[in-house]
Amino acid sequence: MNKARRMMVVEIASAILIVTLLFAILLGKLFTMYLERDTKNDLKDAAQIIEWQLTDIEDSDILNSRLDQLSKKYGMTILLAGSDGNLLSEFTDAEEGLTEEERALYQAEVKEYAGDSAEPAVGELKSTGLYYYLDSNQAAGGYLLVGKERNPGIEGVSVLATSLSFLGIAFIIIMLFVFQIVKKYFMPIDSALHAVRELAKGNYRARSYVGRNKEAGILNNSINQLARDLQEMNIAYDIQKDRLNTLIENMGSALLLIDDKGYINMVNRAYLNLFQVDEESYLSELYYKVIDSEKVNALIEEIFMVEQKVKKQIVLTIGLERKNFEVYGAPIIGPKGEWKGIILVFHDITELKDLERVRKQFVANVSHELNTPVTSIKGFTETLIDGAKEDKNTLDHFLSIILKESNRLQALIKELLELSKVEQHGFQLDFQKVDIMPVLMDTFEILEKKAAKKNICFEIVDPKRQIVCETDSFRLQQVIINLVSNAIAYTPPNGKVTVSVSEDKDEVFIKVSDTGIGIDEKEFPRIFERFYRVDKDRSRESGGTGLGLAIVKHILEAHHGKITIDSKLDEGSTFTVIIPRSQGSDRGK
């Protein structure tokens, strides 16, 4: 039972107690009046009987004897007084007789009665608890007074005791009735109040007690239905919230939410990871205090001012990297048009920009590489047409140049087609268990003459060794030919090119080493790009297209392998091809 209900019960009990007390006092008064009236009637009846008994008795001794008998019989005091009001004789049932005070009081009442009243008098003797009946008596020639002590009923049961007894019984009965009312009416209300408070706290599992009271039952049923509806809405809200949080946290783009006062309310995981910041340092902070980029702050200010969607591409420096972003910002407007803040989404388009750059560079390189031999062929052909063909030496020289440029053009187109093929999705390899050494020996036979022309020592280390792995022998030979061709092309005369093979439990290692010009370490990330050349003049003189290493990279990726490089300027280079011994069930890309 809560405090309010206890106070209500106390107030009701207090009111009932007061009413019961007043009613008990009134009832006690009525009871007292009834006993007084009953006592006075007893005195009157006794006086009449005494007067009737005294009739026709003239002898004083007999009269006194009869009065004494009647006094003891009725338990009363009988007094006879003369016509002047003085007491003549007294008779009482008490052994000690009347006290002087009682006798004096009786004497005073008789004299007062003898002086001014002819009607019988009935009353209480000066609040002593003694009641009397006083009347004239012809037999005694004066007055007869019959007195009686306080009624034993009144002595035994006081007015206060009677009132308290009745009060206690009535109060208990009424309080039981009150508790029944409280239980019937207030318990459902108290339960409903408790349920409403729990609902206000967010505990939608709270339910209210439904009793047998119809009116309270309607209230409690309504509250329970409301609780069920709120619980279902809360479950649906939690599901939607989880979905939204999952979407926001796992989206690939960085997201930033700012309220209408400029404070950051939310940042997602992608933003934290991308910009390498801590969530605690961002939340509930003004955006311009935690965002260092002036470009981003200017974009936010623009959205706040124009209150329209904004889309821009910006470049930001994160750590040591420069990244390209497409930033989309939009104001958040409530259903009634109130301004609630803005949302920013950062799309990282660095890779797209890089791909765009590579595409443009590739187109430019292809155009340049194709234009050079075509221009040469066209120029020498026009010269021959203009008359140079008449000179046999000139004709032979120009035709040899045209053939060389045609071969170069053909090689370029062939490698472009080859590169396009290996880059296609679903490029398949014919994996078989192959002994590596025969493949290397075939490569040696193909390139031995090319190395000999530059007086380069070209050798295969331990050619009789047997190393078997699961590979596509044709594509593997293509890789080795490209690497050895580059080694010969970039190695000065009298240099050396070496191919060696080693293995471990899971992988096979093929190393192509040379004593050539070497490669600067800063060039390492770019040497596998299309048309990229370390020494463009030397490569063009050797007939290289700049596509060999790009083809090598894609073929090795199809083998689930990789290639590493170790090189120093003017000391030479070592390319190491690493391929797994077994390809499992996987075939191709």
Side-chain angles (χ1 to χ4, degrees), residues 6 35 40 56 71 170 193 268 331 381 429 436 560 569:
R6 285 197 298 269
L35 292 178
K40 290 177 182 179
D56 300 332
S71 172
L193 181 61
N268 69 346
T381 303
L429 297 178
I436 299 296
H560 306 103
L569 285 175

Side-chain angles (χ1 to χ4, degrees), residues 367-383 401-402 405 409:
S367 300
H368 175 73
E369 295 295 335
L370 290 176
N371 183 64
T372 300
V374 170
T375 301
S376 297
I377 293 171
K378 182 181 178 182
F380 286 112
T381 303
E382 289 176 347
T383 302
I401 295 175
I402 292 173
E405 294 297 330
L409 183 61

